[in-house]
Amino acid sequence: MKSLVTRWPLLVIAGMLLSGCGQASVDVTPAEDPITITEIGDSDRHRLELSDLAATRLGVETAAISGGPGGALMIPYAAILYDAAGATWTYVNSERLVYIREPIEVEAIDGSLARLTSGPTTGTLVVTVGAAELWGAETGVGGGH
């Protein structure tokens, strides 16, 4: 049986390999900006265009605004954002990977749905998952800017 003294070079090499010593570094910098933010006119709203990777990481999901009784607009409650002043907003998915914050007026909330008195038209896609992250990117909350 070989003694530990004669095996020490093998133990040192094994330890270096397990600790990652001697491995080449890997560049994990994204090839493209994860999000492009463009001002919309002179408003405080912006057009947010996500890269495919950013959209995947955020797990953005959308649902269509539906029509309710009497022609009311119905929106998933998860699509509603409230700003610091209490105004209500939703992000619309205007084209592939593009999101724009739109003002809405909520009349009533019934479980997982809200009835609107004003907002985007029936059939418009609104963000139900990932809206808070879009808000953070747009407003700079969380150090994204």
Side-chain angles (χ1 to χ4, degrees):
M1 182 170 164
K2 293 184 177 182
S3 71
L4 187 57
V5 174
T6 59
R7 291 189 196 177
W8 76 267
L10 293 175
L11 293 172
V12 170
I13 292 171
M16 289 173 56
L17 290 174
L18 290 174
S19 70
C21 185
Q23 291 183 1
S25 64
V26 178
D27 183 16
V28 292
T29 305
E32 58 185 288
D33 287 335
I35 186 168
T36 303
I37 302 173
T38 310
E39 290 184 18
I40 298 175
D42 60 354
S43 73
D44 67 341
R45 297 180 311 122
H46 300 83
R47 178 182 187 273
L48 293 90
E49 184 171 359
L50 301 181
S51 68
D52 286 321
L53 180 59
T56 300
R57 286 185 175 169
L58 289 180
V60 174
E61 293 180 18
T62 60
I65 294 177
S66 61
L73 298 171
M74 303 299 289
I75 186 173
Y77 182 70
I80 299 174
L81 293 167
Y82 297 90
D83 69 15
T88 47
W89 303 88
T90 192
Y91 277 97
V92 299
N93 183 204
S94 59
E95 57 188 279
R96 184 178 181 279
L97 300 178
V98 174
Y99 306 92
I100 298 172
R101 182 171 44 95
E102 295 288 342
I104 58 173
E105 294 292 328
V106 177
E107 179 180 23
I109 298 170
D110 184 20
S112 64
L113 292 175
R115 187 172 51 249
L116 305 181
T117 56
S118 69
T121 59
T122 301
T124 301
L125 294 177
V126 293
V127 175
T128 57
V129 174
E133 289 79 5
L134 293 174
W135 176 272
E138 181 181 7
T139 62
V141 174
H145 291 285

